[in-house]
Amino acid sequence: MKIRFLLLLLLIITFYGCVNKLEVPNTTNPGIENVYADGDAVYGAAAGLFYSWYISAQTHSWSPQMSMITMADQGTSSWLNSGMYDLSSEPRQAFNNTETYRYAYIFEHYWERLYATLTTANEILQVIHNGMQIGELDENGIGKDTKMVESFSYFIQGLCLGYLGLVYDKAFVITDKTADPVSVQPQPYAQVIDSAIHSLQTCIDIAQNNTFTIPDDWINGKTYTNTELVQLAYSYMARFLIYKPRNKQENDQNDWQTILDYANHGITSDFQIYMDNVNWKNWVYHYTYERDDWVRVDARIIHLMDPNYPWHLDDGTDPGIASSDDARLGTDFVHTSTCPFKPERGYYHFSYYLYKRLHYSFSHPDWFPEFYLNELQLIKAEALVHLGRLPEAINIVNKSSRVTRGHLDPLPSTATKQQILDAIFYERDIELFVAGFANDYFDMRRRDMLQKGTMLHFPIPAKELDVMGMPLYTFGGVENADGINTSNGGWFPEN
């Protein structure tokens, strides 16, 4: 589905927004009218929104997430699939943003699926604004599910816009309020994320003034009250704002008080989704850490836990079993004596460690983490550090996974700002492994830690640029390292 088609589709909805869809036949596009013919149809469309966002985009192997894992040197692989080899080769090369690129699907599909889901959310909101009532009517003619569907649709609208802003350098901001979608021009990532936060705030405003419970098949495995939806929305607002920066300078200038405020209103337990392996499957995890021969844990991660372990494998030799005071080296990571990768593609891809913390696999349905409470707590701690409230930050870190799972010594009360930040990012690397979409990449990006020449974001896909008659452009490659679109930093010790 082309972005122009999506824009046209939304324009039709907007045009017919001035009339009652149930009373006036839509002879221009009867398909849309049929889809949203009554409240039950709108309810059904809303019920599939999170699935469309999470399964079709976030956890699909045709997303850029697999390549971003290797670009961040958290996972490593020499396989060509999903652009992993191309985008993690050393030295980094410019990204091939052409329609003929073999793995262009990794960011075309993601772009298209986010906009497809966004369009559905916007259409639902349009018909609600035009008077559609959903669910059993009360004495005032108000449908009991109308506000739930409205709030949830704004939640999904915010998630779609938020990840467009995190992944791409710019994107189209199209909402239910967009008067003329066809004339919309791409906006810089910061404005896209600001729009996402506005959508999530609207979700919150509605949810706080209404009582409802989201059914357990909307976000698979659990019901969510209006209060819990508010907590989820605030959590994503904190996530989007903290991951927005493209370099350390932007990160240092972030709005840390607002981030802290969002996080303080966030989730109070892990946000996990049940993968039943029937309709709900995490394809990214299956093609990364579930399969022993697909993606391995990068030596950088093992080196963090054992400084005597090499941070980079230069000749493919197995360094042996690492040792660490961190108990998670023994519980979450497993050594293996063989590596299936191709030597001719670079020994630096080699790894002898697997990630085995999660029980989920295609043969074992289970809960899968989307947003650990630990992540939110570490966001709070980082915000407190930047606000100069070091004792509070130390207290959070010492109550976190660092001590509870890692069994590491608590930070002393005299810990410096840098020592606290080092502990926070260590936890983010070890404890938040695989949770969330490309959190590791976003963390490395905002710290100037991505290898020199690594893209700091994806460009708009060539497929869409060609449709819109816009010039092709791309990022990446050491020769283009500017610290704005392409990393000019790096995590290697000599850097």
Side-chain angles (χ1 to χ4, degrees):
M1 185 183 298
K2 302 287 190 182
I3 182 64
R4 279 297 185 190
F5 173 74
L6 296 174
L7 294 176
L8 180 59
L9 192 63
L10 186 56
L11 178 61
I12 293 169
I13 289 293
T14 304
F15 177 78
Y16 282 92
C18 61
V19 297
N20 188 315
K21 297 178 69 66
L22 294 179
E23 297 177 357
V24 180
N26 182 349
T27 57
T28 304
N29 195 332
I32 293 175
E33 180 180 308
N34 290 338
V35 171
Y36 302 109
D38 54 41
D40 288 344
V42 178
Y43 182 96
L49 282 175
F50 189 87
Y51 179 92
S52 179
W53 173 76
Y54 185 75
I55 299 296
S56 299
Q58 298 298 100
T59 62
H60 200 290
S61 60
W62 280 21
S63 79
Q65 186 177 3
M66 289 171 63
S67 62
M68 294 167 86
I69 287 169
T70 60
M71 291 161 72
D73 293 312
Q74 186 178 57
T76 182
S77 178
S78 71
W79 305 127
L80 303 178
N81 306 70
S82 298
M84 291 189 294
Y85 171 76
D86 292 347
L87 291 173
S88 67
S89 291
E90 300 175 10
R92 297 288 199 255
Q93 305 297 313
F95 180 63
N96 183 2
N97 187 20
T98 64
E99 289 197 60
T100 58
Y101 175 49
R102 181 178 180 182
Y103 300 105
Y105 65 77
I106 65 172
F107 74 134
E108 288 176 353
H109 177 271
Y110 190 65
W111 174 276
E112 291 166 359
R113 291 312 308 166
L114 286 180
Y115 274 110
T117 306
L118 177 62
T119 297
T120 302
N122 290 343
E123 290 172 352
I124 291 170
L125 290 168
Q126 286 280 351
V127 297
I128 290 175
H129 298 334
N130 294 335
M132 177 72 75
Q133 295 301 318
I134 304 163
E136 183 180 350
L137 301 181
D138 64 15
E139 64 277 9
N140 298 313
I142 304 300
K144 71 178 183 66
D145 295 323
T146 304
K147 289 301 180 181
M148 176 183 73
V149 169
E150 184 180 15
S151 182
F152 195 75
S153 296
Y154 276 117
F155 177 63
I156 299 300
Q157 183 186 85
L159 296 188
C160 291
L161 288 171
Y163 276 96
L164 285 165
L166 289 183
V167 173
Y168 299 93
D169 70 311
K170 50 183 175 282
F172 298 93
V173 176
I174 305 170
T175 73
D176 53 299
K177 301 296 196 302
T178 303
D180 183 16
V182 174
S183 67
V184 170
Q185 295 299 309
Q187 299 298 313
Y189 62 85
Q191 293 183 33
V192 180
I193 291 174
D194 288 346
S195 297
I197 289 174
H198 177 77
S199 298
L200 292 170
Q201 184 61 61
T202 305
C203 158
I204 290 168
D205 293 343
I206 297 169
Q208 286 180 329
N209 288 287
N210 295 275
T211 301
F212 53 76
T213 299
I214 298 165
D216 64 2
D217 57 349
W218 287 32
I219 302 176
N220 204 40
K222 182 185 180 302
T223 60
Y224 290 85
T225 66
N226 57 296
T227 300
E228 290 173 316
L229 182 61
V230 166
Q231 293 172 342
L232 283 175
Y234 271 122
S235 299
Y236 278 100
M237 289 162 74
R239 180 184 269 184
F240 291 154
L241 196 52
I242 201 170
Y243 294 157
K244 176 174 70 172
R246 266 44 177 185
N247 52 50
K248 187 177 185 301
Q249 181 179 5
E250 288 185 8
N251 190 66
D252 290 342
Q253 296 171 352
N254 215 334
D255 186 349
W256 294 104
Q257 183 59 58
T258 298
I259 291 171
L260 179 62
D261 292 342
Y262 291 160
N264 280 335
H265 291 89
I267 55 175
T268 57
S269 61
D270 293 341
F271 177 38
Q272 302 184 88
I273 302 157
Y274 190 71
M275 300 292 107
D276 57 25
N277 291 337
V278 178
N279 295 313
W280 296 75
K281 294 183 178 182
N282 192 314
W283 290 96
V284 167
Y285 186 70
H286 172 71
Y287 282 119
T288 52
Y289 301 108
E290 179 189 333
R291 296 180 52 157
D292 294 352
D293 59 347
W294 211 255
V295 172
R296 296 287 181 86
V297 179
D298 196 279
R300 180 182 76 85
I301 299 296
I302 306 304
H303 173 77
L304 285 175
M305 291 182 282
D306 179 2
N308 293 319
Y309 194 88
W311 49 268
H312 199 257
L313 302 188
D314 296 318
D315 61 6
T317 302
D318 178 11
I321 300 175
S323 62
S324 176
D325 291 336
D326 192 327
R328 290 166 292 188
L329 181 59
T331 59
D332 299 1
F333 303 88
V334 177
H335 176 266
T336 178
S337 59
T338 60
C339 181
F341 299 155
K342 292 181 176 294
E344 63 269 24
R345 293 180 182 170
Y347 283 122
Y348 55 84
H349 290 296
F350 273 46
S351 169
Y352 294 89
Y353 268 88
L354 309 173
Y355 184 68
K356 293 297 180 184
R357 175 182 177 181
L358 302 182
H359 298 296
Y360 169 72
S361 71
F362 271 14
S363 60
H364 187 276
D366 207 344
W367 296 91
F368 196 90
E370 160 58 15
F371 206 130
Y372 280 133
L373 178 59
N374 251 317
E375 178 184 348
L376 196 68
Q377 293 300 101
L378 293 171
I379 288 174
K380 290 181 187 179
E382 187 178 353
L384 288 166
V385 170
H386 286 281
L387 293 170
R389 296 160 61 177
L390 302 191
E392 293 171 82
I394 291 171
N395 184 54
I396 290 177
V397 172
N398 288 344
K399 290 181 178 179
S400 75
S401 50
R402 170 186 175 84
V403 176
T404 60
R405 294 192 68 246
H407 301 163
L408 295 171
D409 291 336
L411 290 175
S413 60
T414 56
T416 65
K417 175 179 178 179
Q418 191 57 53
Q419 288 172 331
I420 303 170
L421 288 175
D422 288 345
I424 289 171
F425 281 106
Y426 175 90
E427 283 307 298
R428 298 184 65 84
D429 271 319
I430 307 304
E431 184 66 17
L432 304 184
F433 210 86
V434 315
F437 180 97
N439 289 356
D440 47 347
Y441 172 88
F442 301 138
D443 271 337
M444 296 287 276
R445 176 173 70 183
R446 66 191 179 95
R447 299 167 64 204
D448 291 343
M449 295 281 277
L450 290 172
Q451 283 194 44
K452 184 176 182 180
T454 306
M455 288 191 298
L456 295 178
H457 35 219
F458 283 84
I460 293 176
K463 185 177 179 180
E464 307 303 342
L465 294 172
D466 288 341
V467 168
M468 295 179 292
M470 298 175 65
L472 297 178
Y473 68 99
T474 194
F475 306 123
V478 293
E479 69 279 6
N480 299 316
D482 59 5
I484 300 172
N485 297 303
T486 301
S487 175
N488 60 357
W491 62 268
F492 290 168
E494 57 263 32
N495 292 332

